[in-house]
Amino acid sequence: VAAIAGIPGAIFFAGIWLAVLHFLWHGYRNTRFSQNDRALCIAAFLGAGAFLITSMIEATFADEEVREVLMFVWAVGLAVVYKGSSKRSQTA
């Protein structure tokens, strides 16, 4: 990413990854969520980690299809976090 977008692009890319992993990890750690919701969060966290690790040795993000699968994995976990945050705001 840094070779194509420069240092600001690499910082932005790393920030997106850190934000998503942060939300997925805290979604997994949140005891207010059901067991199934927490399982989806940790599955998305581990799936994103697998994508991140494979991208270190191969250009996995060069293909559009691979990026689309990653966005789906993120969406599964982040939907749980988003759904849980809307429930908390309704009860408050």
Side-chain angles (χ1 to χ4, degrees), residues 17 21 45-61 70:
W17 272 94
L21 293 176
F45 181 84
L46 294 174
F51 272 92
L52 189 60
I53 290 169
T54 59
S55 71
M56 291 181 192
I57 58 171
E58 189 176 331
T60 55
F61 298 114
L70 177 64

Side-chain angles (χ1 to χ4, degrees), residues 3-22:
I4 295 170
I7 301 296
I11 292 170
F12 184 71
F13 182 74
I16 290 173
W17 272 94
L18 289 174
V20 169
L21 293 176
H22 169 79

